[in-house]
Amino acid sequence: MSTAEEQPGPSKPSGSATDEKERDDRTFECNICLDTAKDAVVSMCGHLFCWPCLHKWLETRPTRQVCPVCKAAISKDKVIPLYGRGATKQEDPRNNVPPRPAGQRTEPETSTGFPGFGFGDGGFHMSFGIGAFPFGFFTSTFNFGETRPSPAPRGTPQFEEEQFLSKVFLWVALLFICWLVLA
Amino acid sequence: MAAMSPSKRRLQRELMSLVREPPPGVFVDGDEVGQNLTQWIVHMEGAKGTLYEGEQFQLQFKFSSKYPFDSPEVTFIGGNIPVHPHVYSNGHICLSILTDDWSPALSVQSVCLSIVSMLSSCKEKKRPPDNSFYVKTCNKNPKKTKWSYHDDSV
């Protein structure tokens, strides 16, 4: 940045300052009223509108709500309000226009590995599963209460599968009980 | 300027940009239109290299107070109505963006461009097949006609 002719900034001014300003203004024009967007909202397809303008258009064709610019599907719930820094003025342009939809905030995801499986660091966290086990075992094994769906008829592939699965579960249960007794 | 209705305000803006940078072959007299913003006459010439080269046409735009949510009423007027399969001899135009497919993001400029392009892609100059019946029976306002749009080629 030692050369004096290089202008620091996002873009080099190509015309006069008024030209540049005009182009900036046009970038933020509402696609409906062609004014600078007031109470600005942006559609999922990226098109900018004043909320009162867009709302009026959605009301005009309630059964066929499409983006005026690209005809993508559009709805009140799928537009995002734009909050600029300077837009602090709280005047509602028309009383019959419902308030602009609020922005949706999603909390950022924390990246601390698996918070539910603390095998290494904080002891063993599976106690609730063991506590509930005997009751689940009795109800499912001795079949109290409601009847279960009838098993698949003998000889079908589903029957084979069910037999195999029940054997697997039986062995898993036995291993688990042994482990509980020995541990 | 501040007391202007939103539709007038938008028309004023459209007029300014159309006078300043008109699309090729389109001309609008700003002073003439400035008198009455709800009714415009747009002059149009057939594009070079098309069947309409060298021809001059006049398009009339009428805007309701609901513009731009409501489409403008657009017809050819004057002595030279283009002979085109989608233009009736009374000047009515069968073009979907003028009714069903209208969107408030369209403008006088984009409608003019669509019409120039519709004329330019024409292969054979002829009237619509139902021209004489339609012209006898239709309403004066083309927006009252129940158009069926079936031909995307021209």
Side-chain angles (χ1 to χ4, degrees), chain A residues 100-174:
Chain A
R100 180 165 53 148
Q104 295 164 21
R105 288 202 74 252
T106 312
E107 290 298 330
E109 282 182 34
T110 49
S111 56
T112 54
F114 300 98
F117 298 95
F119 281 109
D121 46 12
F124 192 56
H125 291 304
M126 280 179 74
S127 52
F128 71 94
I130 295 163
F133 172 70
F135 306 106
F137 184 76
F138 279 115
T139 49
S140 57
T141 311
F142 300 110
N143 200 10
F144 296 123
E146 75 282 357
T147 53
R148 292 153 80 192
S150 56
R154 199 172 277 274
T156 58
Q158 202 190 344
F159 176 78
E160 299 289 335
E161 265 176 41
E162 280 179 6
Q163 289 292 307
F164 173 73
L165 265 179
S166 68
K167 274 182 192 144
V168 168
F169 280 127
L170 185 64
W171 280 109
V172 169
L174 284 173

Side-chain angles (χ1 to χ4, degrees), chain B residues 54-140:
Chain B
E55 289 188 60
Q56 301 282 333
F57 309 108
Q58 274 85 52
L59 271 175
Q60 178 181 259
F61 283 75
K62 283 187 184 171
F63 303 95
S64 75
S65 60
K66 286 189 223 136
Y67 183 80
F69 299 100
D70 188 25
S71 63
E73 187 188 318
V74 185
T75 48
F76 279 105
I77 56 161
N80 192 19
I81 308 284
V83 179
H84 184 279
H86 296 167
V87 181
Y88 290 88
S89 55
N90 62 355
H92 287 197
I93 308 163
C94 178
L95 184 63
S96 65
I97 58 163
L98 298 179
T99 52
D100 295 359
D101 289 342
W102 170 255
S103 133
L106 293 172
S107 60
V108 174
Q109 176 170 343
S110 57
V111 168
C112 287
L113 273 176
S114 292
I115 291 172
V116 168
S117 129
M118 181 186 90
L119 293 180
S120 299
S121 56
C122 179
K123 301 279 190 300
E124 187 194 355
K125 278 187 174 185
K126 59 174 182 196
R127 289 276 177 226
D130 58 337
N131 184 59
S132 53
F133 178 75
Y134 175 78
V135 170
K136 265 183 251 160
T137 55
C138 71
N139 190 289
K140 251 181 79 188

